[in-house]
Amino acid sequence: MARATVHDLANAAGVSLATIDRVLNRRGGVRPATIEKVEQAMARLNYRRDLAAAMLAKQREYQLVFLIPTGVNTFMRNLATEVARLADLNAAERVSIRVIEVPPFDDDTLALALNGLEGTPLTGVAVVATDNALVRQAIDRLSVRGVPVVTLVSDVPGSRRAHFVGIDNSAAGRTAASLMGRFLNGRKGRIAILAGSMLLRDHAERHFGFERVLRTEYPELAALPVIEGRDNAAVAEEVLGALLDAHSDIIGLYSLGAGNRGVIAALRKRGLGQKICVIAHELTDHSREALIEGTFDAILNQDPGHEARSAMRVLRALTDGQPIDPGQERIRIDIYLRDNLP
Amino acid sequence: MARATVHDLANAAGVSLATIDRVLNRRGGVRPATIEKVEQAMARLNYRRDLAAAMLAKQREYQLVFLIPTGVNTFMRNLATEVARLADLNAAERVSIRVIEVPPFDDDTLALALNGLEGTPLTGVAVVATDNALVRQAIDRLSVRGVPVVTLVSDVPGSRRAHFVGIDNSAAGRTAASLMGRFLNGRKGRIAILAGSMLLRDHAERHFGFERVLRTEYPELAALPVIEGRDNAAVAEEVLGALLDAHSDIIGLYSLGAGNRGVIAALRKRGLGQKICVIAHELTDHSREALIEGTFDAILNQDPGHEARSAMRVLRALTDGQPIDPGQERIRIDIYLRDNLP
DNA sequence: CTGAAAGCGCTTACAG
DNA sequence: CTGAAAGCGCTTACAG
């Protein structure tokens, strides 16, 4: 027998379609006895709602905005590309996505961009946020207005954002330290740490996790103070180069931000590619090549495609009042060696 | 202005709805000139079809069957659980999923189960297959009948299966060897290899990848002949125990199949938990615990939730004639250390 | 608190 | 090769 519809339910319960709908969607204003009748009919007929029909009747449109920092940062560019693909693939499901590019490392402009969303029709926002009071306030304002906000890649824990789409960055740092410790396996020496900016929460958390494991589990490895490359290849090459020149006892490098091209250049120029154990973040064309030929020893990665899809799914579920599947939305820390490269 | 519908298209092109539908879905039987008119209207109005409406009108039902080996194998149990969850979550999207449990390591019964599907209404099959002629024939028979088949976890490359949902098992083996080689870092000794059965293609491929990297890149490590634990804890404990007793120079173990409980027991009983470098497969309650307390050094994992979802998506796309997103459907080899455990 | 009727944007026989 | 009409299973004003 075919699956039951609202009509079957209405017949079985002896009520109208409107009442069925009220019970189904818990709209209230229905006598308890009537609710009871409907629920019994649902159970008896094994009723399962048809989502496609509901979507059609509701005429719901999802208007999503993604705020992503611009610049030469390959990872962010890949993320923007994935979001654009997503927009294309989901136009048929009534979701339209707008990408707004914002300058990196600029709290004020980001807050302004968030606040500027006020006028537009909007059902959800995903933002690669900086953890700043103005930004937090802008996120809270949207949330209070009823627009769900998810943070992407880097979280703002104090805010009212509904969800964070990204990896556990402390865990990533800890993982980097474990790999480094095991790969170096008892050797003594200094470890360089290159971040983009310690004002970025994701970078700060990676650093925290890394240092923690290094100091407690691998005391033979001494971390140098973090240097900052501003997620920019040229800057990264310069600051890292200076550090390498100043310390001849560096045996490991944790590059926890962007700017891999600069890292690779600094190492190659000094012939240190194979000598220093290097763990870097984000799989890009450059980092992949460095991994294959041995300049990098491991790459920790977050998949921008997964993050884009997850943000969209979560934002949709949030506006539909649907549950979120934590297993599906957990963004994993991919570990790439030369052998499991995709 | 609201998005264009088929009605707008019909008006703009001066044709009927039926003709619009014929062009949209390339059903043929339309004059080229008419097609042209419609396509121009589509472009002019920026038409995007509404999937929910199409689904509703088509009344498409997806009837999927998943064939999964039974037994005490925790990974397979988890996989079956994930498939059941999926069935529940997607009932509202007109997909119904039936799980059929089959005995493990039994080609004939599996082929019989596949052939027995003939009668039932069916739009797709996912099967954890063995690579055997009878099974291959059964898969081909279904495919030829127009029922798309995807292989799950272990592939059958010679068959007409439409897609494989699982990890690259050779890459997994290579990754295990690399981790082992780097963790052992120059030490000399023997490496034990425990499989479930070398008749399983996924196990054979892991073994191949592992040996390949071990012999070419870590000649100081000598692999012992593979032993088989039948993916059963008791058998695994026994055969591994015997091997450990016979060779005192084993410094590494690659457990590439199931039966982790037996592996853990064999190691603990001999006080070898911390002394031998162990790489195992699949994150389960037991393997997780072994990783945390140091008996295992790394776990390679495939996510059963992802595999179940991916199989469903692929099967749906196949019956709808929709494209598959390779990035989304690639099942990754998760590497877990104690530090990035979920 | 409840119901009758129209409508969402497609697809599907059926007729011509 | 083309079209008019009904229908898919919901939701939504509106009326009472």
Side-chain angles (χ1 to χ4, degrees):
Chain A
M1 120 238 98
R3 47 192 284 167
T5 72
V6 277
H7 289 96
D8 303 325
L9 241 40
N11 285 338
V15 299
S16 73
L17 286 182
T19 297
I20 295 293
D21 187 67
R22 287 184 191 106
V23 176
L24 248 42
N25 295 291
R26 308 176 201 296
R27 297 191 208 289
V30 184
R31 232 187 317 160
T34 314
I35 296 186
E36 179 64 13
K37 274 194 297 182
V38 173
E39 283 177 342
Q40 281 179 8
M42 285 173 57
R44 189 143 32 89
L45 303 184
N46 186 27
Y47 174 77
R48 304 305 226 126
R49 90 201 283 232
D50 183 322
L51 212 78
M55 289 292 287
L56 176 57
K58 272 207 275 257
Q59 293 189 81
R60 203 197 278 303
E61 302 265 352
Y62 305 91
Q63 309 266 14
L64 309 184
V65 169
F66 278 66
L67 289 146
I68 299 177
T70 41
V72 287
N73 181 332
T74 310
F75 173 76
M76 291 299 173
R77 274 216 314 277
N78 289 347
L79 181 60
T81 305
E82 288 295 337
V83 174
R85 274 190 57 219
L86 203 62
D88 226 58
L89 288 171
N90 290 275
E93 307 206 41
R94 297 171 160 268
V95 358
S96 78
I97 300 180
R98 196 155 50 101
V99 175
I100 299 182
E101 311 219 321
V102 293
F105 305 116
D106 185 341
D107 302 324
D108 296 7
T109 310
L110 179 57
L112 234 56
L114 283 164
N115 287 325
L117 259 24
E118 296 272 351
T120 51
L122 205 58
T123 61
V125 175
V127 55
V128 180
T130 52
D131 194 353
N132 162 277
L134 283 171
V135 172
R136 204 174 312 129
Q137 185 186 41
I139 290 174
D140 290 352
R141 194 171 296 168
L142 283 165
S143 307
V144 168
R145 257 185 57 206
V147 179
V149 177
V150 303
T151 45
L152 242 188
V153 179
S154 190
D155 196 14
V156 186
S159 72
R160 293 178 189 271
R161 97 281 188 278
H163 188 87
F164 167 53
V165 177
I167 59 171
D168 177 337
N169 284 294
S170 310
R174 291 197 302 271
T175 305
S178 266
L179 286 172
M180 180 88 65
R182 302 219 44 169
F183 287 176
L184 257 16
N185 201 22
R187 285 178 56 197
K188 283 194 211 314
R190 289 187 187 278
I191 307 297
I193 305 173
L194 172 68
S197 161
M198 291 302 282
L199 296 178
L200 298 174
R201 170 173 280 274
D202 50 347
H203 290 198
E205 288 188 353
R206 288 174 195 172
H207 176 244
F208 172 76
F210 185 81
E211 284 250 7
R212 202 169 191 312
V213 166
L214 210 67
R215 282 172 49 183
T216 55
E217 299 181 26
Y218 303 98
E220 71 276 18
L221 301 176
L224 285 163
V226 195
I227 54 176
E228 300 185 334
R230 306 222 27 102
D231 284 352
N232 175 299
V235 181
E237 178 173 358
E238 193 185 317
V239 296
L240 177 59
L243 192 74
L244 291 170
D245 291 339
H247 299 271
S248 57
D249 56 349
I250 291 176
I251 59 174
L253 164 65
Y254 179 35
S255 172
L256 59 81
N260 280 327
R261 284 197 297 289
V263 171
I264 296 166
L267 290 166
R268 289 206 184 133
K269 200 167 288 173
R270 290 165 183 79
L272 293 171
Q274 319 287 331
K275 293 188 188 140
I276 289 182
C277 177
V278 181
I279 313 244
H281 270 264
E282 314 313 354
L283 190 63
T284 62
D285 290 345
H286 291 93
S287 67
R288 165 194 293 272
E289 195 208 319
L291 184 61
I292 291 173
E293 45 98 73
T295 303
F296 287 180
D297 294 82
I299 292 172
L300 305 188
N301 182 64
Q302 54 190 320
D303 188 314
H306 276 213
E307 294 184 322
R309 283 189 292 273
S310 180
M312 185 191 70
R313 271 195 305 260
V314 167
L315 253 14
R316 277 216 278 187
L318 251 18
T319 90
D320 290 344
Q322 292 288 308
I324 291 167
D325 180 343
Q328 182 167 5
E329 306 314 342
R330 216 190 97 242
I331 308 296
R332 279 147 337 152
I333 302 165
D334 302 327
I335 302 176
Y336 287 115
L337 307 179
R338 182 208 270 167
D339 310 282
N340 63 335
L341 237 23
Chain B
M1 121 234 96
R3 48 192 286 166
T5 71
V6 277
H7 290 97
D8 303 325
L9 239 42
N11 286 337
V15 298
S16 73
L17 286 182
T19 297
I20 295 294
D21 186 68
R22 289 184 189 104
V23 176
L24 248 42
N25 295 292
R26 308 178 200 297
R27 296 190 209 289
V30 184
R31 233 187 318 162
T34 313
I35 295 186
E36 178 64 13
K37 275 194 299 184
V38 173
E39 283 178 342
Q40 281 178 8
M42 283 173 58
R44 189 144 32 86
L45 302 184
N46 185 29
Y47 174 78
R48 304 303 225 127
R49 92 200 282 233
D50 183 321
L51 212 79
M55 289 291 288
L56 176 58
K58 272 207 276 259
Q59 295 191 78
R60 202 196 279 303
E61 302 264 352
Y62 305 92
Q63 308 266 14
L64 309 184
V65 169
F66 278 65
L67 289 146
I68 299 177
T70 39
V72 287
N73 182 332
T74 310
F75 172 76
M76 291 300 173
R77 273 214 317 277
N78 289 346
L79 181 60
T81 305
E82 288 295 337
V83 174
R85 272 192 56 220
L86 203 62
D88 224 60
L89 288 170
N90 289 276
E93 307 204 43
R94 296 170 160 272
V95 356
S96 77
I97 301 179
R98 196 155 50 101
V99 175
I100 299 183
E101 312 220 320
V102 292
F105 306 117
D106 185 342
D107 302 323
D108 298 5
T109 310
L110 179 57
L112 234 57
L114 282 164
N115 287 324
L117 260 25
E118 296 274 350
T120 52
L122 205 56
T123 62
V125 175
V127 55
V128 179
T130 51
D131 194 353
N132 161 276
L134 284 171
V135 172
R136 204 176 310 129
Q137 186 187 40
I139 290 175
D140 290 353
R141 192 171 297 168
L142 283 165
S143 307
V144 167
R145 258 185 56 205
V147 179
V149 177
V150 303
T151 45
L152 242 187
V153 178
S154 190
D155 197 13
V156 186
S159 72
R160 293 177 190 272
R161 97 282 187 275
H163 187 87
F164 168 53
V165 177
I167 60 171
D168 178 337
N169 284 294
S170 311
R174 293 197 302 271
T175 304
S178 266
L179 286 173
M180 180 88 67
R182 301 216 50 168
F183 286 177
L184 255 17
N185 202 24
R187 284 177 58 195
K188 282 194 212 312
R190 290 187 186 277
I191 307 297
I193 305 174
L194 171 68
S197 160
M198 291 302 281
L199 296 178
L200 297 175
R201 171 173 280 275
D202 51 346
H203 290 196
E205 289 188 352
R206 289 175 195 170
H207 176 243
F208 173 77
F210 184 81
E211 283 249 8
R212 204 173 188 308
V213 166
L214 208 68
R215 283 172 48 180
T216 57
E217 298 182 26
Y218 303 97
E220 71 276 18
L221 301 176
L224 285 163
V226 194
I227 54 176
E228 300 184 336
R230 308 224 23 107
D231 285 351
N232 175 297
V235 181
E237 178 173 358
E238 191 185 319
V239 295
L240 177 60
L243 192 75
L244 291 170
D245 291 338
H247 298 271
S248 59
D249 55 348
I250 291 176
I251 59 174
L253 164 65
Y254 179 34
S255 171
L256 59 80
N260 281 326
R261 282 197 298 288
V263 172
I264 296 166
L267 290 165
R268 287 205 185 136
K269 200 167 289 177
R270 291 164 182 76
L272 293 170
Q274 320 286 328
K275 292 188 187 139
I276 290 182
C277 177
V278 181
I279 314 247
H281 271 265
E282 314 314 355
L283 191 62
T284 62
D285 290 343
H286 291 93
S287 66
R288 164 194 294 272
E289 194 208 319
L291 184 63
I292 290 174
E293 46 98 75
T295 303
F296 286 180
D297 294 82
I299 293 171
L300 305 188
N301 182 64
Q302 52 189 322
D303 188 313
H306 276 214
E307 295 185 321
R309 284 189 292 273
S310 181
M312 184 191 70
R313 273 195 304 260
V314 167
L315 253 13
R316 277 216 279 187
L318 249 21
T319 89
D320 290 344
Q322 292 288 309
I324 290 167
D325 180 343
Q328 182 167 9
E329 306 315 341
R330 216 189 98 243
I331 308 297
R332 280 149 334 154
I333 301 164
D334 301 327
I335 302 176
Y336 288 115
L337 307 179
R338 182 207 272 165
D339 310 281
N340 64 335
L341 238 22

